[in-house]
Amino acid sequence: MTDLPQETGDERVDAALGGLAVLGDLPVPAHVGVFEEVFTGLERVLASVDGTPDRQK
């Protein structure tokens, strides 16, 4: 896996990507849930940038 930068320059993105840190401690089947949480966090950041209302599941 490629090393990710420590910081992106946006603390909201950094916080969302920080969730990936737990992957090494989890069994592979549990990774899907982590990826979904990170994706949702990134969607929220993008929505706030372009003014799109936040979509909650």
Side-chain angles (χ1 to χ4, degrees), residues 22-49:
V22 301
L23 291 176
D25 298 329
L26 296 175
V28 173
H31 288 191
V32 172
V34 173
F35 292 141
E36 288 173 346
E37 287 180 31
V38 170
F39 180 75
T40 299
L42 293 172
E43 278 187 316
R44 287 186 182 130
V45 172
L46 287 172
S48 72
V49 170

Side-chain angles (χ1 to χ4, degrees), residues 3-17:
D3 290 330
L4 295 173
Q6 293 298 315
E7 295 181 4
T8 65
D10 187 311
E11 63 187 43
R12 299 166 301 169
V13 173
D14 294 339
L17 292 176

